[in-house]
Amino acid sequence: MHFTSEQRLDGAVIEREFTLGEIPGILWTPGSGSASAPAPLILLSPPPLGLRKMYPRLVARARHSAADGFATATIELPGSGDRPRLPAAEQAVADLRRAMEAGEPVSDEIIDALILPLVDKAVPEWQAALDALLSLPEIGGPVGYSGGVISIGTRLAVVEPRISAAVLFAGSFVPRAMFEEARQVTIPLHVLLQWDDEGNDRQAALDLFDAFGSKEKTLHANMGGHAGVPQFAGVAAAQFFTRHLK
């Protein structure tokens, strides 16, 4: 991990950009108080729209998390931002748009081509980032995960034992293969669902929630579209992490 910049945000948060090989990322740590104990870590996984585009939302979440005593970190997903494009994924996006514009159902083949290669590539990168982050003296466990593409979070919850709890956003297509993986998830989950999400298959999201094997799982559903998550839903998610990571 190579840090490329550092700045203090309002004195309360230290923001450091880094690269992990060719993967760019950002680390936010609480900037006040003593360094007596390492901070618990929350991984902020963005949607595949690019870190620069998502930065305002990510830094807002990082500020709130720092106020609660958490460090947060994010990395650029494969094929996003300035990273090399994934031709198969771009073809799948084109096929998806074509189907939606024609009012046709989105086929399992399109969903698999869009999501599964991204999951296969992103999850090992998140694990490598976690290795590097936990080697820093100011970062400690336990670790939480909070993010978009719900299939990435599902896979990580299965294969990464260092993640103790996860907040998942039900706003992306779900390959059928992920339902079997969901049954293997056992960590506490807090799932956010926008009931009128124009790009989300609500029933698939409900079926995935039902499939999760966790004994503690909460579905927080609110009216509104994809970008209309109410502020109090974010507060509830923060309380979930405080309960499980502190």
Side-chain angles (χ1 to χ4, degrees):
M1 174 177 282
H2 174 64
F3 288 104
T4 58
S5 71
E6 178 175 327
Q7 64 174 328
R8 188 175 285 267
L9 308 179
D10 302 330
V13 184
I14 297 172
E15 176 184 277
R16 285 175 284 175
E17 296 190 9
F18 64 84
T19 57
L20 187 66
E22 297 180 354
I23 306 168
I26 309 173
L27 170 64
W28 295 275
T29 50
S32 58
S34 66
S36 58
L41 175 66
I42 298 174
L43 305 176
L44 301 180
S45 183
L49 300 174
L51 287 186
R52 292 305 160 204
K53 184 173 183 178
M54 295 303 302
Y55 176 81
R57 280 194 226 172
L58 291 167
V59 75
R61 289 162 62 190
R63 287 177 186 271
H64 287 298
S65 296
D68 292 334
F70 295 107
T72 50
T74 189
I75 58 174
E76 190 79 83
L77 291 181
S80 297
D82 295 328
R83 297 191 64 184
R85 292 292 170 260
L86 304 176
E90 294 204 320
Q91 181 60 53
V93 169
D95 293 340
L96 171 66
R97 286 175 178 160
R98 215 164 15 244
M100 295 183 74
E101 288 170 0
E104 299 172 353
V106 180
S107 69
D108 290 343
E109 291 76 13
I110 292 176
I111 294 173
D112 287 354
L114 181 68
I115 302 296
L116 291 178
L118 177 61
V119 173
D120 291 342
K121 194 168 178 61
V123 166
E125 292 181 354
W126 268 118
Q127 291 181 293
L130 189 53
D131 290 340
L133 290 162
L134 289 178
S135 72
L136 300 173
E138 63 269 36
I139 304 296
V143 179
Y145 172 91
S146 176
V149 187
I150 197 168
S151 295
I152 294 177
T154 300
R155 173 75 58 81
L156 269 171
V158 173
V159 304
E160 183 44 75
R162 292 173 292 184
I163 295 178
S164 302
V167 171
L168 303 178
F169 296 85
S172 55
F173 290 100
V174 182
R176 290 189 181 277
M178 296 310 302
F179 288 85
E180 185 56 41
E181 294 194 33
R183 294 182 180 93
Q184 302 173 51
V185 175
T186 58
I187 63 172
L189 297 177
H190 184 99
V191 181
L192 296 173
L193 170 65
Q194 286 302 101
W195 201 251
D196 305 303
D197 191 334
E198 57 278 6
N200 183 46
D201 184 334
R202 183 197 302 161
Q203 190 58 53
L206 294 173
D207 291 344
L208 184 67
F209 179 80
D210 188 49
F212 284 126
S214 303
K215 290 183 178 179
E216 181 186 335
K217 56 181 180 179
T218 299
L219 179 66
H220 198 131
N222 292 284
M223 304 304 290
H226 187 80
V229 180
Q231 184 176 357
F232 62 78
V235 172
Q239 291 171 340
F240 168 83
F241 277 133
T242 296
R243 190 164 67 250
H244 288 287
L245 303 182
K246 284 293 191 72

